[in-house]
Amino acid sequence: MTKLDKLELQSADVTRRNVEALAALFPHVVTEGLDSDGKLIHQVDFEALRQELSDYVIEGKEVYQIDWPGKLAAEFASNAPITKTLRPNLGDSIDFDTTKNLFIEGDNLEAMKLLQESYLGKVRLIYIDPPYNTGGDLVYRDNFSSSTQEFLWKSHQVNEAGEKLVSNTESNGRFHSDWLSMIYPRLRLAKRFLAQDGVILVSIDDAEQASLRRLMDEVFGEQNFLAQLVWEKGRKNDAKFFSVGHEYVMVYAKSQSTLRERKTAWREEKPGAREIWDEYLRLREKHGKNDAAIETDLSAWFRALPASDPSKKWARYKRVDANGPWRDQDISWPGGNGPRYEILHPVTKKACKIPERGWIYGDPEKMQQMIDLGVVVFRDDETEPPFRKAHLRPLDYEAVADGDDEADTGGQDAELATQVRGSYFYKQSQVSVRHLRDLMGAKVFNNPKDHEILSRLFEYVLGGKGGIVMDFFAGSGTTAEAVFDLCARSGLNCPVILVQLPEPLEDNLKSATGSAKTTIQNAIKLLNELDKPLTIAELTKIRIQKAGEQILARHSPSDWNGDVGFRTFTVDTSNFTDITTTPDTVNQEALLDLVESVKGDRGGLDVLFEVLLAWGLDLAAPISAETVLGHQVYSVEDGALLACFDDQLDEVLIHELALRAAADTTQKVVFKDAGFASDAAAINAHQVFEQLSPDTTVKVI
């Protein structure tokens, strides 16, 4: 090594990684060559690869897949690296120093490419509500290549006049193709973010439901399809044929086999069950051990409930014993052909009637165990089969792995009776409209999602575990409020990552009509009053802040971490000066200075976050800054990373930082290459760290 190693400052080149993986498996199929600029590149000999995999290659056969004009370009878009960065915006952040939540302004494809190293395989849940392609909504346009105008025209990113397309209307002959080309690379990247037990939820309506289903089958694997939920939002009485008031939520796992291996079973608390339990506790305190008195009062409480109360549905939990309210439950084998054996009635000493489907317990020994535990209750005589108890707060031995969807499941961790969620649910759309209007002071978003519905849905698929939640079509910010609500109710730790395009509201106003136009005008008025840029991203941040404040007012942070803040970032060009010249126009020394210089409007924190992205580190990590021997030094994650981007780095500072790195077991240290006066100074710095802190990785940018 002659000088400190350079840290590569661009997003991951997925294609190159795939080629390197092929080279590791089949070295002879990857050869070296030169590109048009004389740069060394690796090339794949596909004929050699075909021969290597000859037993598995399908020759001349059609395969089942979804295809459209522009698919190859869209696939290229998901793999191509970019040389951009995320710039922190402290002024637009809430609790920047302590929050674990991220809000990113910019094109979501670029943002995801920049984030993938830091969050690869770490996201437990992704929810997106993308454009539905109904003719007037925005469709993102991606520059699949920066090479030529001809390529852009061929990939349908500009029209024949060279104008960039910004919306997708039915008059466009590529109506579905353009939408697929937009969503495809984003779904491919989304899959990389998901943990092995991760899940993605995608809202959609009938316009692209069929296309999305097939596309997600291809990206995530048909075997990982979990459900297509139907969200009914209300009847449209002005419809000519049928009232289509529903939308869908596609649910796919990263790996359904992993969920099965881990014996994952999603359940949700029965709505109204907690209120029943609270009433039982009140009556238990009132009546002590008098179960009969508790039963009488509990039955009266059920009768007094209005028909719309969710607890009314569970009025069967009116019997009481020492373990709380319970109801009777079928004791027969689900589906039929269960075991058949004699069980004697404890009073008549005669064999009880065997259920037509057989007993649910596999053998007499198991049945006797449940009788001894008090789970099985006999009737007055043997002419009817006994039944099982199902407590509102299930006991660990009450659960039976019988495949019955109606059976309660429990365990020592189960608090209240649970149920499997159905694939159809109803919530009137106007509820979320009113909530958001009240929160923002005016109607500033059209068709917002319901945060309470999403909060419960997120809780269900997360299965009582925390984890990172991502939404790269943040829109009105409903996902953030849903996650805040979930964490406040459950105490879970769910950092949220949001991405939203700073779409100009004034551009949308030009084509808007009716109520949509009024909504945009309301939004512009609100932003003008707050002296904020007139973009959807600004509205989103305001909504998140207001929702967080409202939730904090209802839930004490003592019950959860109280994190309703967010670090704001903007997708921007690299912090380092672009190379806009060639060696023919400047001398070699001047060119070197140009490459190594930081842009004049960029600060140390800008550069630090570009380093975190390049190294794949957490963007929510705690950061502190201090002055060391006259130089600003950043410490990330309590000293796990040290960084100094000052000029005129001397031996005294290097020695001090090397000592600190050794004491704090610092993993990484980074400097600005131009901070060293010469290669000799950089070499000396390397030697100092090798001597004093040999386990620390040292790089320059």
Side-chain angles (χ1 to χ4, degrees):
M1 174 178 176
T2 58
K3 59 185 296 187
L4 294 176
D5 289 337
K6 276 274 191 179
L7 184 60
E8 186 177 348
L9 297 177
Q10 72 168 21
S11 67
D13 188 337
V14 178
T15 301
R16 187 187 68 187
R17 288 186 177 180
N18 290 339
V19 172
E20 290 172 352
L22 278 176
L25 292 171
F26 313 111
H28 64 285
V29 309
V30 178
T31 60
E32 292 183 347
L34 298 177
D35 64 10
S36 57
D37 297 324
K39 183 180 178 181
L40 182 67
I41 59 172
H42 291 90
Q43 299 173 316
V44 177
D45 184 339
F46 285 100
E47 185 56 39
L49 181 61
R50 180 183 296 273
Q51 292 176 7
E52 186 72 36
L53 303 174
S54 58
D55 291 342
Y56 300 94
V57 174
I58 302 175
E59 298 285 357
K61 291 186 178 180
E62 295 179 331
V63 294
Y64 179 77
Q65 63 179 352
I66 182 171
D67 205 357
W68 66 92
K71 181 179 181 180
L72 289 178
E75 189 170 334
F76 173 78
S78 65
N79 291 338
I82 59 173
T83 53
K84 290 195 173 186
T85 190
L86 295 177
R87 295 186 63 193
N89 185 338
L90 276 65
D92 272 0
S93 300
I94 305 294
D95 301 327
F96 185 91
D97 291 334
T98 57
T99 185
K100 297 297 182 184
N101 306 313
L102 308 180
F103 184 90
I104 299 166
E105 292 186 52
D107 180 84
N108 51 16
L109 185 62
E110 293 180 336
M112 293 168 76
K113 287 184 177 184
L114 294 170
L115 291 170
Q116 63 182 324
E117 289 295 289
S118 296
Y119 298 98
L120 185 70
K122 296 179 181 178
V123 176
R124 290 280 325 282
L125 170 64
I126 295 175
Y127 170 76
I128 58 172
D129 183 21
Y132 283 3
N133 204 23
T134 54
D137 46 2
L138 176 75
V139 173
Y140 288 45
R141 291 295 179 222
D142 306 315
N143 292 325
F144 295 147
S145 170
S146 58
S147 56
T148 64
Q149 184 80 356
E150 179 185 7
F151 180 85
L152 291 175
W153 179 80
K154 286 182 178 179
S155 60
H156 301 274
Q157 301 314 297
V158 296
N159 60 19
E160 292 86 340
E163 300 167 337
K164 192 175 183 182
L165 303 177
V166 294
S167 63
N168 199 27
T169 61
E170 292 187 18
S171 60
N172 175 17
R174 300 171 53 82
F175 184 65
H176 294 289
S177 297
D178 284 344
W179 187 86
L180 286 166
S181 290
M182 179 277 294
I183 199 70
Y184 183 46
R186 290 163 173 81
L187 291 177
R188 283 169 59 89
L189 279 164
K191 183 180 180 182
R192 299 172 194 166
F193 283 100
L194 284 178
Q196 277 301 105
D197 63 345
V199 178
I200 182 170
L201 312 175
V202 183
S203 285
I204 200 69
D205 72 357
D206 282 317
E208 293 292 354
Q209 174 271 327
S211 298
L212 179 66
R213 173 72 183 271
R214 291 189 60 191
L215 189 63
M216 294 189 74
D217 280 346
E218 178 173 318
V219 173
F220 295 94
E222 192 173 358
Q223 72 278 10
N224 292 314
F225 170 76
L226 298 181
Q228 179 172 307
L229 308 181
V230 179
W231 184 343
E232 177 63 52
K233 296 187 172 185
R235 181 169 298 183
K236 300 177 181 179
N237 291 321
D238 59 346
K240 288 184 171 61
F241 305 109
F242 290 94
S243 171
V244 181
H246 66 271
E247 294 179 0
Y248 306 98
V249 181
M250 300 289 186
V251 187
Y252 280 76
K254 171 69 173 290
S255 170
Q256 186 172 178
S257 62
T258 296
L259 296 180
R260 293 186 180 279
E261 288 169 6
R262 297 179 183 180
K263 302 188 185 308
T264 302
W266 293 341
R267 296 293 185 271
E268 66 178 359
E269 185 178 291
K270 290 180 176 179
R274 190 161 298 278
E275 289 74 14
I276 299 172
W277 183 258
D278 289 343
E279 177 64 13
Y280 160 72
L281 292 179
R282 188 186 71 81
L283 294 175
R284 177 62 75 185
E285 184 175 352
K286 176 182 177 181
H287 295 294
K289 296 182 179 181
N290 190 340
D291 292 345
I294 296 174
E295 285 185 0
T296 299
D297 284 3
L298 188 60
S299 294
W301 180 80
F302 276 122
R303 289 193 298 270
L305 291 175
S308 60
D309 194 296
S311 298
K312 190 86 167 181
K313 182 179 179 181
W314 311 113
R316 288 177 60 193
Y317 287 98
K318 60 186 178 182
R319 306 289 296 277
V320 172
D321 64 14
N323 295 307
W326 61 272
R327 66 174 177 84
D328 60 282
Q329 192 174 25
D330 191 9
I331 201 170
S332 61
W333 190 275
N337 298 319
R340 308 179 72 84
Y341 46 80
E342 284 193 353
I343 292 296
L344 300 182
H345 191 279
V347 177
T348 67
K349 306 303 179 183
K350 296 180 180 179
C352 292
K353 180 180 179 181
I354 300 175
E356 183 178 344
R357 298 186 301 182
W359 300 111
I360 196 169
Y361 301 117
D363 52 60
E365 290 75 18
K366 181 66 175 179
M367 173 70 82
Q368 189 59 51
Q369 180 187 6
M370 293 298 104
I371 293 173
D372 295 340
L373 287 170
V375 173
V376 174
V377 179
F378 288 89
R379 302 182 191 272
D380 292 339
D381 58 40
E382 75 284 353
T383 58
E384 293 294 329
F387 57 84
R388 293 185 291 156
K389 283 184 178 181
H391 283 87
L392 183 68
R393 191 169 188 172
L395 308 177
D396 58 354
Y397 45 76
E398 286 182 353
V400 178
D402 54 17
D404 183 357
D405 288 343
E406 296 300 320
D408 290 319
T409 62
Q412 292 181 345
D413 295 330
E415 291 190 0
L416 292 170
T418 59
Q419 63 184 7
V420 179
R421 189 183 180 102
S423 61
Y424 168 90
F425 55 96
Y426 173 81
K427 184 70 177 285
Q428 224 277 343
S429 60
Q430 287 304 309
V431 175
S432 57
V433 172
R434 286 194 297 269
H435 167 76
L436 199 49
R437 184 182 59 217
D438 294 342
L439 184 68
M440 302 291 284
K443 184 181 178 182
V444 296
F445 284 108
N446 287 313
N447 306 314
K449 288 293 184 288
D450 190 293
H451 77 279
E452 291 182 346
I453 286 287
L454 291 183
S455 180
R456 298 290 179 180
L457 186 57
F458 294 172
E459 183 178 23
Y460 185 74
V461 301
L462 286 171
K465 301 176 184 177
I468 297 173
V469 178
M470 173 181 276
D471 181 354
F472 47 89
F473 285 99
S476 64
T478 302
T479 294
E481 185 171 0
V483 172
F484 294 165
D485 176 75
L486 163 61
C487 294
R489 289 187 297 100
S490 66
L492 292 177
N493 178 23
C494 300
V496 61
I497 300 174
L498 305 166
V499 185
Q500 176 56 40
L501 189 74
E503 184 182 344
L505 288 168
E506 290 177 314
D507 288 352
N508 289 352
L509 185 62
K510 296 174 184 177
S511 58
T513 59
S515 61
K517 184 174 184 178
T518 303
T519 300
I520 297 174
Q521 290 172 333
N522 291 339
I524 291 175
K525 180 182 178 182
L526 173 64
L527 292 171
N528 278 327
E529 290 174 351
L530 297 173
D531 195 24
K532 295 286 188 180
L534 304 181
T535 68
I536 290 180
E538 289 297 329
L539 277 180
T540 310
K541 285 183 286 185
I542 294 170
R543 188 265 175 91
I544 296 171
Q545 182 178 358
K546 287 179 176 291
E549 292 170 351
Q550 191 176 85
I551 290 173
L552 276 178
R554 293 198 308 265
H555 298 273
S556 169
S558 62
D559 300 328
W560 62 305
N561 61 24
D563 185 3
V564 294
F566 50 88
R567 283 185 176 179
T568 300
F569 296 86
T570 303
V571 177
D572 208 334
T573 57
S574 172
N575 294 294
F576 296 88
T577 307
D578 298 327
I579 305 175
T580 56
T581 185
T582 68
D584 297 330
T585 58
V586 294
N587 61 46
Q588 220 32 52
E589 183 178 351
L591 180 61
L592 181 62
D593 291 339
L594 180 64
V595 173
E596 293 177 341
S597 63
V598 175
K599 293 176 180 176
D601 63 339
R602 308 298 172 91
L605 205 57
D606 291 317
V607 178
L608 178 62
F609 276 103
E610 189 159 0
V611 168
L612 296 184
L613 289 170
W615 245 322
L617 301 178
D618 186 357
L619 297 191
I623 297 171
S624 62
E626 63 174 312
T627 301
V628 180
L629 299 176
H631 293 277
Q632 187 174 50
V633 175
Y634 294 98
S635 174
V636 181
E637 203 78 67
D638 297 325
L641 166 68
L642 292 178
C644 181
F645 307 118
D646 287 358
D647 295 326
Q648 304 301 318
L649 303 180
D650 54 37
E651 292 184 15
V652 179
L653 175 69
I654 298 300
H655 192 272
E656 172 65 22
L657 293 182
L659 289 176
R660 289 193 178 199
D664 297 338
T665 61
T666 297
Q667 301 168 12
K668 305 175 188 295
V669 174
V670 62
F671 302 103
K672 189 174 65 173
D673 199 3
F676 296 99
S678 64
D679 281 357
I683 293 171
N684 182 62
H686 169 66
Q687 292 172 343
V688 170
F689 271 91
E690 259 195 349
Q691 180 183 357
L692 298 179
S693 187
D695 294 330
T696 301
T697 299
V698 185
K699 287 186 179 291
V700 294
I701 54 173

